[in-house]
Amino acid sequence: MPTTVRVALGQRSYDILIGRGLRRAAGDFLRQSAEASHAIVVTDDNVRPLYGEAFASDLRALGFRCDILSVPAGEPSKSIKHAEALWHDVSRLGCDRRSTIVALGGGVVGDLAGFIAATFMRGLPFVQIPTTLLAQVDSSVGGKVGINLPAAKNTVGAFWQPAGVLIDLDVLTTLPEREYRAGLAEVVKYGVILDAPFFAYLEQHIPEINRRDPAALEQIVARCCELKARVVEQDERELTGVRAVLNYGHTFCHAIETVTGYGQFLHGEAVAIGMACAARLAESMGRVKSDFVLRQRELLEKVGLTTAMPRLDEGQLLDAMRRDKKAERGKIKFILPMRLGCVEVVSDVDPELVRKVL
Amino acid sequence: MPTTVRVALGQRSYDILIGRGLRRAAGDFLRQSAEASHAIVVTDDNVRPLYGEAFASDLRALGFRCDILSVPAGEPSKSIKHAEALWHDVSRLGCDRRSTIVALGGGVVGDLAGFIAATFMRGLPFVQIPTTLLAQVDSSVGGKVGINLPAAKNTVGAFWQPAGVLIDLDVLTTLPEREYRAGLAEVVKYGVILDAPFFAYLEQHIPEINRRDPAALEQIVARCCELKARVVEQDERELTGVRAVLNYGHTFCHAIETVTGYGQFLHGEAVAIGMACAARLAESMGRVKSDFVLRQRELLEKVGLTTAMPRLDEGQLLDAMRRDKKAERGKIKFILPMRLGCVEVVSDVDPELVRKVL
């Protein structure tokens, strides 16, 4: 039986369905959640041969009109250039307001396809079918969509909630090792920011996590979705600071991704490094003890993530942080831990302390 | 005393202020409606020397940080190319979520700047200060923002309500004659679709209208804003058909604009032709009598508008109509009159009848 997590947002409420073999239930899910008869599947060149074509055939067999569009795999596809190409493609395909965009892929595909859905004809329904661990536990839920500018990540976008999220855990079996480990960074993040018992659960199940044990994965994905749904419900548009906690590690992470041109690190890899930076920054401010920093680092490393800061230009990193969406009037904000399971938004951090952790 | 029209949309409610000499009150308006301290004024090359620089200076004198950006005047600026340039500019200027975008110009500037506001950092506050009659009575109110694709008008965009609309009637004194007359097309439209007494008022005040009599203009602009506000309140996202009535004449109009490459006709000029087409289509279906068609044509012509359909390729026009946002599953929808002051959405119009009015 699939697990259902409801995201309660009034008229914009939707279900996250988590289970196995769910791809085959996508037709029903599309009909129920988006009342669709024409689906435009947006995917990438890796996922298309693995799942995309079969998925489109299944939908056609169920009587859907179904088109499939793909972009190169990887963060550089979250660009104006690819958004423009997709807008033209969707227009050429005779898409109308009864059409539904289906994002079948990882976070890059979800963010890009979601941005097309948010903006084409001033907004089309869309459904997320995330195929990476990172997208399943984080980016497919909550309605943040967008593309990058060369100067700053996710700078152009919208809050546009999906009509539904369908998480098929089976697809994780074909996920490359590096992508899988990158996703675990966001999993660990949920423990640090919101749920100390979940963090302890992860510490106690490292062998299961590393061999992708199905039962452990189902628990983990469902718990992360549940935690994220509760945060998004409280602060859909990131206005009150509640939702901002999800950006733990992300001020550093986005700066690393921006300075390295979006190609070198996977998002989750940069999140792991960013979390390590945020923990050290908090320690240097006397907010947490060294045992917190150590415990977080050990868990990240045991699930195969690197936490050491790469050698990058300090000035460029600080510039990129100042263009972060959380910055206000030139002051960078950080999400910093108080203790395991609890973080807060902190403005006015001494730039000298930030420089020291870079 | 300025007239205030409230647009009641829950958390997204805002005021339209209509009066004379209001540009000088913009600082207070910005502070009250958007809590702004950093304004990014987006304008065009015509408006910038007339009002833009002085406006920016006024804001700076009041303690605002104020930047000014401009695009070439005219519909071709509602393009991905110009949106991209503005996204880069706004990022370079260190815009954050406390910055406010101010659209100072006509419909093109309002739609483009509003789209930047809707998408930069997933949404910034914006204020409309419309400087054409068309923008004052129509495009600055209601939150429709967007850009054109070569294949179809307003295809990429969002519903993004302004934090406020400031209408200074004084700016109409410098408006070129052609722009002024184009705006009157939308004014006449309100009478036809919603308000027969207002249509009669227009018929009775043609000399005042043609000489831009200040008292008549104030009445006209306020009435149009009032009518539009009530429609938008009932159907903000154009879901129920209530808001669709504002698109009277626009299925033809958008096709004309698309086929002529957005350069030949001003939007209002194409609206006048589109209204004439819609009226003739309704007549050919037996929905209205010839006296309706005649009365509408006479008023449009008396305020200086052409209603004759230009010679354009019929096939191209029909193709463009099929890509209209109102089309569903390939069927074009039209907004057609039942009598003066009342129109309805009609699907399933015989394409042969459409062809005849082209």
Side-chain angles (χ1 to χ4, degrees):
Chain A
M1 273 295 289
T3 306
T4 301
V5 175
R6 181 80 175 163
V7 187
L9 292 167
Q11 288 183 315
R12 295 180 299 289
S13 298
Y14 54 96
D15 285 335
I16 310 166
L17 224 66
I18 304 156
R20 309 196 157 270
L22 290 184
R23 292 194 308 292
R24 262 137 275 158
D28 288 340
F29 190 72
L30 269 178
R31 281 223 177 81
Q32 279 165 28
S33 55
E35 298 171 34
S37 64
H38 175 208
I40 298 178
V41 178
V42 179
T43 188
D44 72 28
D45 294 343
N46 288 344
V47 175
R48 184 170 183 155
L50 278 171
Y51 302 112
E53 295 297 346
F55 178 77
S57 298
D58 286 356
L59 286 185
R60 287 187 199 113
L62 289 166
F64 282 83
R65 192 186 140 205
C66 184
D67 296 296
I68 183 162
L69 298 170
S70 54
V71 295
E75 192 74 27
S77 287
K78 271 177 63 177
S79 65
I80 295 173
K81 189 184 104 187
H82 283 97
E84 177 169 9
L86 287 175
W87 280 324
H88 287 299
D89 287 341
V90 167
S91 170
R92 182 180 47 77
L93 290 171
C95 178
D96 67 33
R97 283 179 176 163
R98 297 296 192 108
S99 306
T100 294
I101 305 282
V102 179
L104 179 74
V108 167
V109 162
D111 285 8
L112 174 63
F115 182 59
I116 300 303
T119 53
F120 194 78
M121 291 190 168
R122 300 198 183 96
L124 299 177
F126 92 114
V127 166
Q128 291 266 21
I129 306 187
T131 60
T132 65
L133 179 60
L134 187 134
Q136 292 186 345
V137 298
D138 188 41
S139 60
S140 70
V141 173
K144 281 193 179 179
V145 299
I147 56 177
N148 304 322
L149 292 185
K153 189 167 154 124
N154 292 338
T155 312
V156 171
F159 290 95
W160 189 247
Q161 299 295 340
V165 183
L166 189 72
I167 298 181
D168 186 346
L169 297 163
D170 285 345
V171 300
L172 297 181
T173 55
T174 56
L175 191 64
E177 191 63 15
R178 189 180 163 195
E179 293 270 357
Y180 178 68
R181 299 204 174 279
L184 290 171
E186 298 278 7
V187 171
V188 172
K189 184 194 77 178
Y190 283 107
V192 175
I193 65 173
L194 290 167
D195 192 345
F198 181 60
F199 188 94
Y201 168 91
L202 297 173
E203 288 179 316
Q204 288 149 20
H205 292 78
I206 288 170
E208 291 88 337
I209 293 170
N210 284 333
R211 68 163 187 264
R212 309 192 195 184
D213 175 77
L217 277 180
E218 191 152 354
Q219 283 233 21
I220 287 169
V221 172
R223 183 66 189 148
C224 293
C225 286
E226 182 76 36
L227 288 166
K228 178 140 188 190
R230 296 299 88 78
V231 167
V232 170
E233 284 168 356
Q234 287 174 69
D235 181 18
E236 184 184 2
R237 297 189 68 90
E238 205 164 303
L239 296 172
T240 66
V242 172
R243 183 165 182 162
V245 304
L246 298 172
N247 286 317
Y248 176 57
H250 281 60
T251 309
F252 291 101
C253 156
H254 287 170
I256 294 167
E257 291 181 273
T258 301
V259 170
T260 57
Y262 304 121
Q264 192 176 336
F265 292 95
L266 293 176
H267 176 64
E269 292 171 338
V271 168
I273 299 167
M275 287 167 64
C277 290
R280 289 203 310 279
L281 178 58
E283 188 190 6
S284 75
M285 296 167 73
R287 302 173 58 87
V288 290
K289 295 274 165 53
S290 62
D291 64 328
F292 171 92
V293 182
L294 190 69
R295 203 173 155 193
Q296 180 187 275
R297 195 179 74 203
E298 279 190 353
L299 179 55
L300 288 169
E301 291 182 350
K302 280 182 179 162
V303 297
L305 286 156
T306 299
T307 57
M309 184 71 195
R311 243 173 232 287
L312 296 170
D313 185 280
E314 269 180 24
Q316 285 184 12
L317 286 169
L318 285 166
D319 273 358
M321 288 186 203
R322 276 188 211 102
R323 278 190 299 268
D324 188 271
K325 287 188 295 304
K326 289 181 293 304
E328 265 181 24
R329 309 184 204 277
K331 287 193 177 157
I332 312 164
K333 283 188 185 172
F334 292 91
I335 317 300
L336 296 178
M338 305 161 75
R339 61 180 182 278
L340 198 63
C342 188
V343 293
E344 61 179 356
V345 182
V346 182
S347 337
D348 258 337
V349 177
D350 179 355
E352 207 34 57
L353 293 177
V354 178
R355 199 181 294 273
K356 273 189 188 141
V357 303
L358 292 178
Chain B
M1 274 295 290
T3 306
T4 301
V5 175
R6 180 82 174 161
V7 187
L9 292 167
Q11 288 183 315
R12 295 180 300 286
S13 298
Y14 54 96
D15 285 335
I16 309 167
L17 225 65
I18 303 156
R20 309 200 157 267
L22 289 184
R23 292 193 310 292
R24 264 138 273 158
D28 288 340
F29 190 72
L30 268 179
R31 280 224 178 78
Q32 279 165 26
S33 54
E35 298 171 33
S37 65
H38 175 209
I40 297 179
V41 178
V42 179
T43 187
D44 72 28
D45 294 343
N46 288 346
V47 175
R48 185 171 183 155
L50 278 172
Y51 302 112
E53 295 296 347
F55 179 76
S57 299
D58 286 355
L59 285 184
R60 287 188 199 112
L62 290 166
F64 282 82
R65 193 187 139 206
C66 185
D67 297 295
I68 183 162
L69 298 170
S70 53
V71 296
E75 191 74 29
S77 287
K78 273 177 62 177
S79 65
I80 296 173
K81 190 184 104 187
H82 283 96
E84 177 168 10
L86 287 175
W87 281 324
H88 286 300
D89 287 341
V90 168
S91 171
R92 183 179 48 75
L93 290 170
C95 177
D96 67 34
R97 284 181 176 160
R98 297 294 194 107
S99 306
T100 294
I101 305 283
V102 179
L104 179 74
V108 168
V109 162
D111 285 7
L112 174 64
F115 183 60
I116 300 302
T119 53
F120 194 78
M121 291 191 166
R122 299 200 183 93
L124 298 176
F126 92 114
V127 166
Q128 292 266 21
I129 305 186
T131 60
T132 64
L133 179 60
L134 186 133
Q136 292 185 345
V137 298
D138 187 40
S139 61
S140 70
V141 173
K144 281 194 180 181
V145 298
I147 55 177
N148 304 323
L149 292 186
K153 187 163 158 131
N154 293 337
T155 312
V156 171
F159 289 96
W160 190 246
Q161 298 295 341
V165 183
L166 190 71
I167 298 180
D168 186 344
L169 297 164
D170 284 345
V171 300
L172 297 181
T173 56
T174 56
L175 191 65
E177 192 63 16
R178 188 180 164 195
E179 292 271 357
Y180 178 69
R181 301 206 174 277
L184 291 171
E186 297 277 8
V187 171
V188 173
K189 183 194 76 177
Y190 284 106
V192 176
I193 64 173
L194 290 166
D195 192 346
F198 180 59
F199 188 94
Y201 169 91
L202 297 173
E203 288 178 318
Q204 288 149 20
H205 292 78
I206 287 169
E208 293 88 335
I209 292 170
N210 284 335
R211 66 165 188 265
R212 307 191 196 185
D213 175 77
L217 277 180
E218 191 152 353
Q219 283 232 24
I220 287 169
V221 172
R223 183 66 190 149
C224 292
C225 287
E226 182 77 37
L227 289 166
K228 178 140 187 188
R230 296 299 87 80
V231 168
V232 170
E233 285 168 354
Q234 287 174 69
D235 181 21
E236 185 184 1
R237 297 189 66 89
E238 205 165 300
L239 296 172
T240 65
V242 171
R243 183 164 183 162
V245 302
L246 297 171
N247 287 316
Y248 176 58
H250 282 58
T251 308
F252 291 101
C253 156
H254 288 169
I256 293 166
E257 291 181 274
T258 301
V259 170
T260 56
Y262 304 122
Q264 192 177 335
F265 293 95
L266 293 176
H267 176 62
E269 292 171 338
V271 168
I273 299 167
M275 286 166 64
C277 290
R280 290 204 308 279
L281 178 58
E283 187 190 7
S284 75
M285 295 167 73
R287 301 175 58 89
V288 289
K289 295 270 167 53
S290 62
D291 64 330
F292 171 93
V293 181
L294 191 69
R295 202 171 156 194
Q296 180 186 278
R297 195 179 75 202
E298 278 189 356
L299 179 55
L300 288 169
E301 290 181 350
K302 281 182 178 162
V303 298
L305 286 156
T306 299
T307 56
M309 183 72 195
R311 244 174 231 283
L312 295 170
D313 185 280
E314 267 181 25
Q316 285 183 13
L317 288 168
L318 285 166
D319 272 358
M321 288 187 204
R322 279 189 209 100
R323 278 190 299 270
D324 189 272
K325 288 189 292 306
K326 289 182 291 303
E328 267 182 24
R329 309 184 204 276
K331 287 195 176 153
I332 312 164
K333 283 187 185 172
F334 292 90
I335 317 300
L336 296 179
M338 303 160 74
R339 60 180 181 276
L340 198 63
C342 188
V343 293
E344 60 178 357
V345 183
V346 182
S347 338
D348 259 336
V349 177
D350 179 355
E352 207 34 58
L353 293 178
V354 178
R355 198 181 295 271
K356 272 189 189 142
V357 303
L358 291 178

